[in-house]
Amino acid sequence: MTDPAAASAPPRRARWREAAVLATAFALCLLGGVVQVDDTLSPPPAAAYVIAVASCAVLPVRHRAPSAALAATTAAGLLVPPLGLLLSPPIMAPAVIAAYAYARHAPGERRAAGAVALASAALLLAATPWAEDLSWQDASRMGSVAAFPMVAGVLGRSAHNRRAYLAAVEERARRAEKSRESEARRRVEEERLRIARELHDLVAHQITLAHAQATVAVHLFDTRPEQTRTSLTELVQTTSDALDDLRATVGLLRRSEDTAEPAEPAPGLSRLPTLLESFGRAGLQVSLEQRGPARPLPPGVDLTAYRIVQEALTNVTKHAGTRTARVRLDWRRDRVTLTVADDGGDAATPPAAAGASDRAPGYGLIGMRERATAVGGQLTAGRRPGGGFLVSTQLPLPPARDTARGTGPPEAAGEAGRAAAGGQPEDAP
């Protein structure tokens, strides 16, 4: 809750400051009226009180209407000689204050300099004794009368520039803070999208396999108890792997000081044998073929390739009426083409696919396309003319000279994948 005393403190200080300025200007005007034209001292005449009251009365509006205050105080200074008073620096104190306020609030430097110079010139002409000889004392007084408004104008313009500089610094600080906040929000959104993709790929893959194995067990429970036992055993292994993968993925959200053990490396093409074996346990036989000399991929591209294969085979298990699929890796000089295809009708529809068409469409294809685009690749997907579905991805490769010594692991993964899938390589469509 705001303290009323604290809220009223700044206006109260401003009122006291304004009262002090007016009192000082009034006192200086009366002090200027003490010195007479013949250089004698006497009490301020009535004309001095008139000039002091008239010139000080317009000072309170100098912040709202600085040009009017400067014009009024200058006009009051011009009336000093006709009233029989000596135009000296003290008696023109209100004009000096008005010149400072005008220079501080004027929108442009040229405008401020012109107005203050015009007021100084007018006061200088009014202070010049045209009918008498000019003495050194008169010259000094005239110089003071002309210089005081000019100095006040310079000080006021300096205050204006300083205030503008501080405002610009504060504005830059606010913009920098907003840009940091927007950058932080953008990074949070990107991280959330990345985590959503990982969880989607992981959960969709493992749950699809578990659903297929459970459906097979239910379908064969009465007729083939031994095969049902095998399917349930594989279901336990699948759910255990799902929990391990989910634990590892969620563990990436922890801070580094919260983890007691180093995080598991992100999956890549080296884990294709395990992936294909998991689909084999769910009843989908996958053959793997590689063409060209394989090379190790950058971590981001390697993870993208693995996830695309995983999601494409998951879609085959969920939506295609087939028990076979083909994965092909075509290694070129600057890219690797990854193809996942199924014929979609070479076998009876398995129990796991029953009712799959009744489900609402998911985000599998969207996620695969986003993953490929994020690493500079491209993905196409669609139905084949002869039946089935085809997913083809082209991912960029680093220059060959940087990875010339690393061709073993992906080829070994291909051989192990063929052994695990239990099929022979076939040409991709």
Side-chain angles (χ1 to χ4, degrees), residues 385-408:
F389 203 82
L390 174 69
V391 175
S392 179
T393 310
Q394 291 187 3
L395 302 177
L397 289 178
R401 62 177 181 273
D402 295 340
T403 57
R405 294 181 298 176
T407 59

Side-chain angles (χ1 to χ4, degrees), residues 127-152:
T128 303
W130 299 101
E132 302 177 2
D133 295 335
L134 187 63
S135 62
W136 284 105
Q137 186 177 4
D138 294 334
S140 176
R141 179 174 55 83
M142 291 167 54
S144 300
V145 169
F148 270 61
M150 296 295 293
V151 172

Side-chain angles (χ1 to χ4, degrees), residues 94-106:
V96 173
I97 296 174
Y100 175 86
Y102 181 84
R104 184 176 181 181
H105 296 89

Side-chain angles (χ1 to χ4, degrees), residues 65-308:
S67 58
L70 179 61
T73 53
T74 303
L78 296 178
L79 294 177
V80 171
L83 294 177
L85 300 175
L86 183 65
L87 186 57
S88 59
I91 205 171
M92 52 175 288
V96 173
I97 296 174
Y100 175 86
Y102 181 84
R104 184 176 181 181
H105 296 89
E109 292 188 2
R110 292 185 177 180
R111 184 175 178 180
V116 173
L118 182 61
S120 299
L123 293 174
L124 176 63
L125 293 176
T128 303
W130 299 101
E132 302 177 2
D133 295 335
L134 187 63
S135 62
W136 284 105
Q137 186 177 4
D138 294 334
S140 176
R141 179 174 55 83
M142 291 167 54
S144 300
V145 169
F148 270 61
M150 296 295 293
V151 172
V154 171
L155 295 178
R157 201 60 198 174
S158 298
H160 172 84
N161 293 337
R162 176 174 176 79
R163 183 177 58 183
Y165 171 75
L166 294 179
V169 170
E170 292 178 357
E171 180 64 21
R172 285 197 298 269
R174 284 194 295 268
R175 290 182 179 179
E177 184 66 24
K178 290 181 180 179
S179 63
R180 284 195 296 267
E181 292 177 357
S182 61
E183 179 67 16
R185 287 194 298 268
R186 185 185 65 83
R187 293 190 177 185
V188 168
E189 292 296 331
E190 290 180 353
E191 184 66 14
R192 290 176 60 187
L193 180 60
R194 184 187 67 82
I195 295 171
R197 289 173 179 171
E198 291 294 328
L199 290 178
H200 171 269
D201 294 343
L202 174 66
V203 173
H205 165 61
Q206 301 289 2
I207 296 301
T208 298
L209 295 184
H211 177 267
Q213 293 164 351
T215 305
V216 170
V218 171
H219 184 71
L220 302 177
F221 182 79
D222 295 329
T223 59
R224 301 178 183 177
E226 293 299 327
Q227 190 171 353
T228 301
R229 183 186 303 274
T230 302
S231 181
L232 292 177
T233 303
E234 294 175 350
L235 175 61
V236 172
Q237 181 63 33
T238 300
T239 55
S240 177
D241 294 341
L243 290 176
D244 293 340
D245 291 343
L246 186 61
R247 187 181 300 111
T249 303
V250 176
L252 295 177
L253 303 179
R254 298 178 179 176
R255 296 177 298 178
S256 58
E257 60 269 17
D258 293 338
T259 56
E261 298 180 357
E264 182 181 355
L269 294 182
S270 62
R271 292 180 56 180
L272 273 183
T274 304
L275 178 67
L276 302 184
E277 182 182 358
S278 64
F279 281 102
R281 293 197 302 267
L284 179 66
Q285 300 300 318
V286 185
S287 62
L288 177 63
E289 178 187 1
Q290 292 195 91
R291 291 186 178 182
R295 302 191 337 240
L297 300 174
V301 180
D302 200 15
L303 175 62
T304 298
Y306 178 87
R307 292 304 188 192
I308 289 176

